[in-house]
Amino acid sequence: MPQNILIIGATRGLGASLANAYASQPDTTVFGTTRSATAPIRLDNKIIWIPYIDVSESSVGAKLVNQLGSLGGGGRRGGMTEEGWVTAFDIVIITAGYFATEDFKTGPKWDEEVKMYTTSSISPPFIVQSLFKAKRLTGGSRVRLISSESGSIGLRHAKEGGGNYAHHASKAALNMVDKLTEMTAGVGFHKYWDDGGAVTPGEAAKTLVEWAEKLDMSKSGQYWAPRGPRDIGTADVAMGTNLPTPLQLPW
């Protein structure tokens, strides 16, 4: 079945891997946002790029809707199907993020914290509401806010050593945004790089695409790690052993 997908933050990391994965599927049109004027290289040439979209700007929602209008709206390549102009997206994925380290000894960083909060948790409701008002989202649309296990208060443990205040807190705030919108699950991918080890964007994208195909509204507003506990360094001490995959995470 043809589907139209919009990915916010599609130029690198998980967003780029998701864009490539979906663009490789038949009957799928992928729109991706970029902050620059030109499309990134080494990504699938079928991706339709929306330039000058910066999630740290207060005008991001309005600018996104305007840019979509100049492209003929969200929908099939060229904007036209047998039924006419397609204006709504089947799936919207918001995965843009920013990470900076902080610790208590050297102190928190004001500008870095503002950027992390703005990118991770302030911009998503503005983007979603703008798309909804512009009729780019309908009753059948699905919105996926990509969070991280780092936003779970229940998974924090002394073995991590504390710090990275805005990284964790901005993801926790995103989880609250997701819970309040109740549109789809805040899907967790780990950001804890020590005992858990790092997941490559390609691995994470493959798992997310496969798992998301099985999502229904029963998981709306929930917090899941599709790869289970294997990449979460504090899962055993915070939640116990013999945990299932996928794993529903504590808030």
Side-chain angles (χ1 to χ4, degrees):
M1 181 178 179
Q3 61 179 349
N4 311 296
I5 298 174
L6 171 64
I7 300 176
I8 308 296
T11 59
R12 60 181 180 173
L14 177 60
S17 294
L18 285 171
N20 274 338
Y22 279 115
S24 69
Q25 295 181 353
D27 296 323
T28 299
T29 301
V30 177
F31 289 73
T33 68
T34 174
R35 289 180 296 173
S36 67
T38 58
I41 59 175
R42 295 189 296 274
L43 291 182
D44 197 303
N45 60 17
K46 293 186 294 184
I47 300 169
I48 301 172
W49 291 99
I50 307 167
Y52 304 117
I53 301 301
D54 188 340
V55 297
S56 68
E57 297 178 351
S58 61
S59 60
V60 60
K63 186 177 290 186
L64 175 61
V65 168
N66 288 338
Q67 293 283 57
L68 286 170
S70 69
L71 292 173
R76 305 293 296 156
R77 179 181 291 275
M80 200 67 159
T81 67
E82 293 179 0
E83 292 78 22
W85 288 103
V86 177
T87 61
F89 291 103
D90 299 292
I91 299 171
V92 174
I93 300 172
I94 302 179
T95 185
Y98 176 72
F99 174 69
T101 59
E102 299 176 290
D103 59 61
F104 188 77
K105 182 177 180 179
T106 59
K109 305 169 184 176
W110 187 276
D111 291 339
E112 299 282 27
E113 288 217 4
V114 170
K115 187 171 183 179
M116 281 185 271
Y117 277 104
T118 303
T119 302
S120 293
S121 55
I122 295 177
S123 65
F126 287 89
I127 292 169
V128 172
Q129 200 245 7
S130 295
L131 290 171
F132 181 80
K133 287 180 65 177
K135 295 182 172 54
R136 308 298 186 189
L137 297 175
T138 66
S141 299
R142 290 168 287 170
V143 176
R144 297 172 185 160
L145 306 181
I146 307 301
S147 182
S148 162
E149 61 85 19
S150 62
S152 169
I153 294 175
L155 285 175
R156 305 285 58 82
H157 191 272
K159 67 183 289 186
E160 296 175 297
N164 293 334
Y165 310 107
H167 170 60
H168 290 285
S170 65
K171 294 301 185 183
L174 174 60
N175 294 342
M176 179 61 78
V177 167
D178 177 77
K179 185 67 174 179
L180 294 174
T181 59
E182 290 269 333
M183 298 186 83
T184 189
V187 182
F189 281 92
H190 92 294
K191 296 287 186 179
Y192 180 49
W193 298 85
D194 296 329
D195 292 345
V199 179
T200 67
E203 291 175 309
K206 182 177 184 295
T207 303
L208 178 56
V209 169
E210 292 174 352
W211 185 73
E213 291 299 322
K214 305 170 186 176
L215 281 177
D216 57 33
M217 290 305 292
S218 69
K219 291 183 173 61
S220 178
Q222 296 179 0
Y223 190 21
W224 287 83
R227 287 173 55 88
R230 54 183 160 165
D231 308 311
I232 302 174
T234 60
D236 56 342
V237 293
M239 300 180 67
T241 57
N242 299 318
L243 299 170
T245 299
L247 177 65
Q248 186 171 6
L249 300 179
W251 294 109

